[in-house]
Amino acid sequence: MESKNLNKHISGQFNAELEDIRNRVLAMGGLVERQLEESLDALASLDAELAQKVIDGDHRVNGMEVSIDEECTRIIAKRQPAASDLRLIITIGKTITDLERIGDACVRIAKAALDKRLNNQQPLLVSIENMGRHATRTLHATLDAFARMDAENALELHKEDAKLDKEYEGIIRQLMTYMMEDPRSIPAVLDVLWAARAVERVGDRCKNICEYIIFYVKGKDVRHTSYEDMEKDLNM
């Protein structure tokens, strides 16, 4: 297996550039993780001020994506990286796209917290809060796997998306029952439904990042590949 550490180059400056860009991705990941935690807190407590803070902070996530992407383009043009260095830059470019989309999901959750119709629908929020905490733990672990470029851990985390999908399906059934029993609740339930969908998408994005980590370590694109086949690839 290739070394998970960054290769040493004749150019110390190139090493510094690669390390810097990885650190910037982790800083972006930390910001997105905080956005997710705060959006879920805002929804659980219907805290409009905290929700607005999340919404207003989305421009920082967007700005980090743009600046890191520009740096990736500059490195490719200037250094013409090959082999694992090029895979690292590709991995970073794809990862920041998914992190930005998790940021968008946080905004969707925060906007639901601004809906005053949810003030009398607190029971609806319990299941989504539990699912949200699961998504938060998964994101944190995924960022840790990225920091260490740990393909084995990424493979294990890849399975968390299926668990989040099952939780999401359970919430959908619960919300459908709620709407049938009380049609007046439909507008509020729809907001909760969109928020639940946003949390489910966080799991999808984490799964993608795990696949990028495996791509970097093994040099093989494992998108649309079964868990069993990915496991074989890692052990080959």
Side-chain angles (χ1 to χ4, degrees), residues 205-218:
R205 303 303 176 189
C206 289
K207 182 176 80 169
N208 290 346
I209 295 171
C210 289
E211 291 173 356
Y212 307 149
I213 294 168
I214 295 170
F215 165 72
Y216 169 67
V217 174
K218 298 301 296 183

Side-chain angles (χ1 to χ4, degrees), residues 61-231:
V61 176
N62 296 339
M64 293 178 87
E65 182 200 15
V66 170
S67 66
I68 294 170
D69 188 54
E70 288 175 346
E71 181 64 11
C72 286
T73 301
R74 189 195 67 79
I75 289 176
I76 290 173
K78 180 180 178 181
R79 302 293 185 181
Q80 298 181 346
S84 63
D85 295 327
L86 181 58
R87 291 206 306 274
L88 175 63
I89 294 169
I90 292 171
T91 295
I92 285 171
K94 291 177 178 294
T95 296
I96 60 173
T97 296
D98 277 287
L99 288 175
E100 188 275 332
R101 288 174 180 167
I102 293 175
D104 291 342
C106 296
V107 170
R108 175 67 265 181
I109 297 166
K111 285 182 176 178
L114 295 176
D115 188 349
K116 293 182 172 54
R117 290 173 296 195
L118 290 179
N119 287 332
N120 298 319
Q121 306 290 347
Q122 202 71 28
L124 290 175
L125 304 178
V126 175
S127 294
I128 192 172
E129 182 179 5
N130 293 335
M131 180 185 175
R133 301 310 170 193
H134 184 181
T136 301
R137 291 192 300 272
T138 301
L139 175 58
H140 180 82
T142 299
L143 291 170
D144 184 61
F146 179 89
R148 294 180 290 109
M149 286 299 168
D150 187 336
E152 286 80 9
N153 193 22
L155 180 64
E156 288 302 307
L157 287 166
H158 194 274
K159 294 187 292 187
E160 291 303 311
D161 181 53
K163 298 176 185 177
L164 283 164
D165 287 346
K166 287 185 179 179
E167 290 180 48
Y168 175 64
E169 290 166 6
I171 290 173
I172 294 298
R173 288 193 295 270
Q174 179 187 13
L175 295 178
M176 293 295 289
T177 301
Y178 204 90
M179 285 190 288
M180 287 187 290
E181 291 177 351
D182 182 9
R184 293 171 301 176
S185 70
I186 290 175
V189 170
L190 288 176
D191 268 341
V192 177
L193 183 61
W194 281 112
R197 175 61 174 164
V199 174
E200 188 273 335
R201 293 300 287 163
V202 172
D204 292 341
R205 303 303 176 189
C206 289
K207 182 176 80 169
N208 290 346
I209 295 171
C210 289
E211 291 173 356
Y212 307 149
I213 294 168
I214 295 170
F215 165 72
Y216 169 67
V217 174
K218 298 301 296 183
K220 183 168 182 178
D221 190 342
V222 294
R223 291 175 296 177
H224 315 299
T225 302
S226 70
Y227 176 83
E228 291 74 18
D229 286 341
M230 281 190 284
E231 193 170 32

